[in-house]
Amino acid sequence: MVLGDKIDWVSPSPPGPALKTMSRTGSCQVSPRGVKIGCFSPKCVNMGWKLFPDFIDLSISGSHKIITSDRTLSFLQMDKSCSTHLVDGDGTFNVSGIDNFMKEIKLAECGLSYAVVSIMGPQSSGKSTLLNHLFGTNFREMDAFKGRSQTTKGIWMAQCVGIEPCTLVMDLEGTDGRERGEDDTAFEKQSALFALAVSDIVLINMWCHDIGREQAANKPLLKTVFQVMMRLFSPRKTTLLFVIRDKTRTPLENLEPVLREDIQKIWDVVPKPQAHRETPLSEFFNVEVVALSSYEEKEEQFREQVASLRQRFFHSIAPGGLAGDRRAVVPASGFSFSAQQIWKIIKENKDLDLPAHKVMVATVRCEEIANEKFSSFIGNEEWRQLEETVQFQPVPGFGRKLSTVLDVCLSEYDAEATYFDEGVRSSKRKQLEEKLLQLVQPAYQSMLGHIRSGNLDRFKNAFDNALNEGKGFAVAARDCIKYFMSHFDEEAADTNIDLANWDASKIREKLRRDIDAHVAAVRTAKLSEITTMYESKLNKALSGPVEALLDGANDNTWPAIRKLLLRETETAIAEFVSALYGFEMCEESREKMILRLQDHARELVEAKAKEEAGRVLICMKDRFSTLFSHDSDSMPRVWTGKEDIRAITKTARSSSLKLLSVVSAIRLDNDADTIENTLSLALIDPKAAASTNKGTSVDPLASSTWEEVPVSKTLITPVQCKSLWRQFKTETEYTVTQAIAAQEASRRNNNWLPPPWAIVALVVLGFNEFVTLLRNPLYLGVIFVAFLLFKALWVQLDIAGEFRNGALPGLLSISTKLLPTVMNLLRKLAEEGQRPARTEPQHNPPLTAQSGTNNDSGISSSASSEVTSVNGSKHSNPQASVNLS
């Protein structure tokens, strides 16, 4: 039945319109007759007790039945799910039964707001009947018509109907039963100890006529209660409510003192531990006494007294209530486990330490609650989305969102574990926090990793942009580092989890290391770029000029190189220092870089000098060839026989030797040396060197080092110079020889007259032939024609040119060209002879003899034509011979 359910009336006449529905607020709905009906749980109805004059019965939702009989109102709960057989007659604890019972009545939601009531008493003394009327339970009652026998076996538990707070009632098996026998009291003691350990209120059901008797049934029961109480190391203060049944005419004021006196006597004689021998009864128990009339004889009066007694169980745990002084209360969610463990200890016949048991129950339950909350957190959809998302990208508000989820989880734990032992609760909460934080820490680290990588990427872009905008390197790095480290701190603070005292300093340090590494890499790259740029400028400024200076080696070569090196280095260093200004380098580092640039310039010159030294032989030959083959005006020489080849050769060789002496060593430090003098004396003028070193046979070039020149600055050793000079002379001798040959040939060409003695010999020896020619002029014509033919062959074959290269090459060349040339001349003569005779005489221009090959060629062609005309004419012309001569 729930609040607001309609009430179905089966009586002939309902009480009126005011009692048709239950109140939704849980308060009372009052009928005109004053009957109160309220609802405190989904399945229980609480009714105030008053006379109800007109009705027989009414049914509420089929779950509860209200019966009126003889103007008296009572009710019964018909739902059997509100009770369970807790311990059977063999002492077996019904674990599943109590668990289902607790779920059914939702006991775990009660916290500490619940009470446990148990009842003890002799068998068949009306315990179950009392509980059913007092609490609305449905315990099985003895059927008087079937005889008196054991009805309740073991321990039963049910929920009291309509009592706040939630009250559990246990119906214990009666003592002194015939079925168990006289000596079998073990289960009685076990059940009594169990009831004392878990109950806040213990009802002791006893007959009124037994009060004052020595051997009545109540004495063994009380002894049992007090004896088992001693087995509790730290007993909880329990309320003993003595219910005197079938009260007689003796007033309760007279019965209660006698009962209390008997109870005190029993307490005094019960053996107690040394620690509790002087402890009064009030330290362990609150003793209350109530009397009830006979149920069979005075049922209506019994019901009224029970209804009055029922009111005392409302808010029983409040201060001043029946159970107001209770101690070591186990929270409702741990009641099942606690009852199970207590019964187990009792069955094993061990002493029961309630505080330790309370801690044990708290430990188990708090751990169960913590595990449940941990599993619930793992399955939490919000956490799973956070965990999945943070693996791939940063989550805005990560710390706040995760802290909220964690707080909800821990709040749920606190709500369920709030009533357990504080130390255990706090310990398990701390363990739960550690497990939760251990679970979420990878996500937290992933989030920090995203923040670190994001800030690093943004730093790189911002830093590059600042440098591209022309900002100084050091200033740009400092500003960007400050901004992005501050930004990381802000984002890391937003990621922090309230529960965790995690420190993002390691990730921050890693970010700073990455940023510093990037700055250092960029700095190195920029400095390298700047250095490379100025090294390239030096390469461009020095390579060509140094090479040109070394090619034109003279006395001023190295001074000019030193001057060039100093000027270009100073210019480059000035610009280099200006470029380094934005890096805010220390003086020492800047000086090192400047020195490195200076060294580079010097190394560049040295490398160029070494390069020139490697091809010095080629340069020497080129210089010799240039000077030898060209005059002072740089015009090619024509060897006419007037040139002094020896002087020219010596001058050219001296200049080549000058080149060798210049590139033999590096002279950037302006140190004086004797390399040129040594080479000149040893190679150009060895006789002077021999006269200078008279008496010694030491060769000045027979060494691997130069005097006053360090090995590191030596490019060509003396021995290498000597070898190079020998090779140089060998390769240039042919040029000199050719010049000499050309000069001799020129002289021969210019001297066409024979020597005087030859002329005298010709005159003396050829006088008779001369006379013969004078006597016969025809011979002169023949000789003249032969001369013309020979002259034509001379010109056509270029005999003078062919013999310039030597006699043998000239003869071979002429021999191959002689026959074709002769055949060509004969063919032309034949062609001229076949031409028809001209009517007009031809005037041939006079021949002019000139020196040179071209003039000779003209003479040859003219002579050839004249010869043709002479041979082709029918009549000889003496005048033609004269003209030809």
Side-chain angles (χ1 to χ4, degrees), residues 226-245:
F226 293 155
Q227 285 175 359
V228 298
M229 195 67 176
M230 296 300 103
R231 294 181 59 184
L232 301 178
F233 284 0
S234 298
R236 46 190 288 164
K237 195 167 186 179
T238 308
T239 299
L240 294 180
L241 180 58
F242 288 88
V243 181
I244 302 174
R245 304 292 297 276

Side-chain angles (χ1 to χ4, degrees), residues 786-796 850 856 859-860 863:
F787 171 75
L788 292 177
L789 290 174
F790 179 76
K791 186 66 175 178
L793 288 174
W794 183 279
V795 172
Q796 289 293 324
Q850 296 181 3
D856 292 342
I859 293 173
S860 173

Side-chain angles (χ1 to χ4, degrees), residues 216-507:
N218 63 326
K219 295 288 182 72
L221 176 60
L222 290 175
K223 288 182 180 179
T224 300
V225 170
F226 293 155
Q227 285 175 359
V228 298
M229 195 67 176
M230 296 300 103
R231 294 181 59 184
L232 301 178
F233 284 0
S234 298
R236 46 190 288 164
K237 195 167 186 179
T238 308
T239 299
L240 294 180
L241 180 58
F242 288 88
V243 181
I244 302 174
R245 304 292 297 276
D246 295 352
K247 177 180 173 297
T248 61
R249 293 181 179 180
T250 306
L252 181 61
E253 292 79 4
N254 296 334
L255 293 175
E256 184 174 352
V258 177
L259 179 59
R260 289 184 179 273
E261 183 179 353
D262 291 342
I263 293 172
Q264 187 63 46
K265 288 180 180 180
I266 297 172
W267 173 258
D268 292 338
V269 299
V270 169
K272 292 183 283 296
Q274 183 67 32
H276 295 294
R277 285 188 178 181
E278 303 299 330
T279 304
L281 177 65
S282 59
E283 185 70 22
F284 288 84
F285 300 103
N286 289 325
V287 179
E288 298 286 342
V289 181
V290 66
L292 298 176
S293 300
S294 174
Y295 173 67
E296 295 180 354
E297 298 177 0
K298 301 177 180 179
E299 183 177 354
E300 182 178 344
Q301 189 176 0
F302 174 81
R303 292 180 184 277
E304 292 179 0
Q305 292 171 350
V306 168
S308 178
L309 178 60
R310 175 184 172 85
Q311 297 301 318
R312 299 187 63 182
F313 287 91
F314 282 92
H315 307 294
S316 59
I317 63 174
L322 281 177
D325 296 334
R326 64 180 184 164
R327 304 170 185 167
V329 183
V330 176
S333 62
F335 178 79
S336 173
F337 177 76
S338 175
Q340 179 183 350
Q341 294 299 316
I342 288 176
W343 183 254
K344 180 180 178 182
I345 293 173
I346 292 173
K347 285 287 290 181
E348 294 173 355
N349 198 26
K350 296 179 180 179
D351 291 333
L352 184 59
D353 188 354
L354 291 181
H357 173 76
K358 177 184 177 183
V359 171
M360 182 268 293
V361 174
T363 301
V364 174
R365 280 298 301 145
C366 289
E367 187 169 352
E368 290 178 353
I369 296 172
N371 291 336
E372 291 174 3
K373 299 310 170 188
F374 183 75
S375 301
S376 174
F377 181 84
I378 293 176
N380 185 280
E381 186 64 24
E382 187 174 357
W383 154 244
R384 293 176 64 182
Q385 290 180 357
L386 278 175
E387 184 183 28
E388 183 178 353
T389 306
V390 81
Q391 300 298 323
F392 306 100
Q393 64 185 26
V395 178
F398 175 84
R400 174 178 49 80
K401 294 178 180 178
L402 187 54
S403 296
T404 301
V405 180
L406 289 172
D407 289 342
V408 170
C409 179
L410 293 173
S411 298
E412 292 176 355
Y413 169 85
D414 292 337
E416 294 189 25
T418 184
Y419 300 112
F420 289 100
D421 181 78
E422 182 178 359
V424 176
R425 182 178 71 242
S426 300
S427 175
K428 295 301 178 181
R429 189 185 196 278
K430 185 176 181 181
Q431 292 179 10
L432 176 60
E433 287 181 6
E434 291 175 355
K435 289 177 65 177
L436 291 174
L437 292 178
Q438 186 176 4
L439 176 67
V440 304
Q441 189 173 23
Y444 172 78
Q445 295 295 333
S446 298
M447 185 64 190
L448 288 181
H450 289 309
I451 295 174
R452 182 193 64 80
S453 59
N455 278 280
L456 180 60
D457 293 340
R458 290 192 293 271
F459 169 83
K460 291 179 180 179
N461 294 332
F463 186 51
D464 292 341
N465 292 335
L467 293 179
N468 293 335
E469 292 172 359
K471 201 172 185 179
F473 185 90
V475 175
R478 187 163 52 248
D479 293 346
C480 290
I481 289 174
K482 181 179 180 181
Y483 175 78
F484 283 100
M485 291 307 296
S486 176
H487 195 261
F488 172 84
D489 293 338
E490 293 176 1
E491 292 185 334
D494 185 58
T495 306
N496 286 339
I497 301 171
D498 296 338
L499 291 175
N501 190 22
W502 289 334
D503 186 6
S505 59
K506 291 185 178 179
I507 304 298

Side-chain angles (χ1 to χ4, degrees), residues 608-620:
K608 185 57 65 176
K610 290 178 181 178
E611 181 181 344
E612 292 298 316
R615 59 189 189 91
V616 64
L617 181 60
I618 297 174
C619 295
M620 290 170 63

Side-chain angles (χ1 to χ4, degrees), residues 44-322:
C44 299
V45 176
N46 172 34
M47 299 187 66
W49 297 94
K50 280 198 175 182
L51 295 178
F52 205 1
D54 296 331
F55 302 102
I56 299 174
D57 66 2
L58 58 90
S59 173
I60 301 177
S61 253
S63 297
H64 301 77
K65 189 173 183 180
I66 301 177
I67 302 172
T68 60
S69 174
D70 195 14
R71 302 171 62 85
T72 305
L73 183 65
S74 66
F75 68 92
L76 293 175
Q77 181 180 350
M78 306 302 293
D79 192 353
K80 293 184 180 180
S81 64
C82 290
S83 64
T84 183
H85 196 183
L86 187 61
V87 180
D88 63 16
D90 296 330
T92 302
F93 194 89
N94 187 6
V95 178
S96 60
I98 191 173
D99 289 341
N100 293 333
F101 173 77
M102 290 183 61
K103 292 178 182 177
E104 185 73 19
I105 67 174
K106 298 181 180 180
L107 181 63
E109 299 177 1
C110 296
L112 295 179
S113 298
Y114 77 102
V116 181
V117 180
S118 59
I119 189 168
M120 299 180 187
Q123 182 174 304
S124 303
S125 61
K127 298 186 300 299
S128 300
T129 302
L130 175 61
L131 294 179
N132 289 339
H133 285 79
L134 184 60
F135 299 116
T137 55
N138 59 348
F139 293 123
R140 182 183 174 189
E141 300 179 7
M142 184 187 70
D143 189 351
F145 295 101
K146 292 182 180 181
R148 303 182 67 82
S149 62
Q150 188 181 46
T151 303
T152 302
K153 294 183 179 180
I155 303 174
W156 285 78
M157 175 177 284
Q159 182 188 18
C160 299
V161 178
I163 293 181
E164 280 294 320
C166 179
T167 302
L168 306 180
V169 61
M170 292 192 302
D171 188 9
L172 274 63
E173 180 181 318
T175 60
D176 196 19
R178 177 179 59 84
E179 287 76 7
R180 289 194 180 269
E182 180 180 356
D183 298 329
D184 189 5
T185 60
F187 186 79
E188 294 179 6
K189 293 181 179 180
Q190 290 172 355
S191 60
L193 182 57
F194 179 76
L196 291 173
V198 301
S199 301
D200 302 301
I201 305 170
V202 178
L203 303 179
I204 298 180
N205 200 46
M206 58 187 306
W207 299 109
C208 180
H209 52 72
D210 286 337
I211 298 175
R213 295 181 181 180
E214 185 63 27
Q215 300 298 327
N218 63 326
K219 295 288 182 72
L221 176 60
L222 290 175
K223 288 182 180 179
T224 300
V225 170
F226 293 155
Q227 285 175 359
V228 298
M229 195 67 176
M230 296 300 103
R231 294 181 59 184
L232 301 178
F233 284 0
S234 298
R236 46 190 288 164
K237 195 167 186 179
T238 308
T239 299
L240 294 180
L241 180 58
F242 288 88
V243 181
I244 302 174
R245 304 292 297 276
D246 295 352
K247 177 180 173 297
T248 61
R249 293 181 179 180
T250 306
L252 181 61
E253 292 79 4
N254 296 334
L255 293 175
E256 184 174 352
V258 177
L259 179 59
R260 289 184 179 273
E261 183 179 353
D262 291 342
I263 293 172
Q264 187 63 46
K265 288 180 180 180
I266 297 172
W267 173 258
D268 292 338
V269 299
V270 169
K272 292 183 283 296
Q274 183 67 32
H276 295 294
R277 285 188 178 181
E278 303 299 330
T279 304
L281 177 65
S282 59
E283 185 70 22
F284 288 84
F285 300 103
N286 289 325
V287 179
E288 298 286 342
V289 181
V290 66
L292 298 176
S293 300
S294 174
Y295 173 67
E296 295 180 354
E297 298 177 0
K298 301 177 180 179
E299 183 177 354
E300 182 178 344
Q301 189 176 0
F302 174 81
R303 292 180 184 277
E304 292 179 0
Q305 292 171 350
V306 168
S308 178
L309 178 60
R310 175 184 172 85
Q311 297 301 318
R312 299 187 63 182
F313 287 91
F314 282 92
H315 307 294
S316 59
I317 63 174
L322 281 177

Side-chain angles (χ1 to χ4, degrees), residues 534 537 570-580:
Y534 284 97
K537 286 185 177 181
E570 288 179 350
T571 302
I573 288 176
E575 297 177 359
F576 184 65
V577 170
S578 178
L580 295 180

Side-chain angles (χ1 to χ4, degrees), residues 716-736:
I716 305 174
T717 64
V719 174
Q720 292 172 340
C721 288
K722 186 174 183 179
S723 175
L724 287 171
W725 185 257
R726 185 183 303 113
Q727 187 176 356
F728 167 75
K729 287 182 65 177
T730 301
E731 294 182 6
T732 57
E733 280 180 356
Y734 177 77
T735 303
V736 177

